[in-house]
């Protein structure tokens, strides 16, 4: 018996209808994104620059931070 379900259309709805809520969502998500970017950049910089952080655990932490970037 074949799968007969199919999607013929895709509807993307806005997060909010009002301009103020859209701006709030934008700034909130931008802040979260920039915090994650800064945190991963600091991890990458710390592991790359400090010779004491060249253990296998720190190597994998650096790889995870770079993948998240």
């Amino acid at each position: 018996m074949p799968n007969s379900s199919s999607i013929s259309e895709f509807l993307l709805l806005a997060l909010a209808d009002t301009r103020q809520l859209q701006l709030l969502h934008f700034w909130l998500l931008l802040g979260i994104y920039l915090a994650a970017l800064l945190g991963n950049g600091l991890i990458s910089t710390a592991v790359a620059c400090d010779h004491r952080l060249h253990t296998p655990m720190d190597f994998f932490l650096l790889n995870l931070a770079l993948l998240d970037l």
Side-chain angles (χ1 to χ4, degrees):
M1 186 162 136
N3 186 2
S4 62
S5 63
S6 65
I7 298 174
S8 61
E9 61 185 44
F10 181 76
L11 182 62
L12 184 63
L13 299 175
L15 288 175
D17 292 332
T18 61
R19 183 74 173 157
Q20 289 82 15
L21 278 177
Q22 289 175 353
L23 288 174
L24 175 68
H25 288 146
F26 170 76
W27 289 113
L28 182 67
L29 292 175
L30 181 66
I32 292 170
Y33 172 73
L34 290 176
L37 196 67
L38 178 67
N40 287 320
L42 287 174
I43 289 171
S44 301
T45 304
V47 172
C49 292
D50 193 355
H51 68 279
R52 293 173 293 172
L53 296 176
H54 289 175
T55 63
M57 179 188 69
D58 297 319
F59 172 73
F60 288 117
L61 184 63
L62 175 64
N63 283 332
L64 284 173
L66 291 176
L67 282 174
D68 196 28
L69 284 176

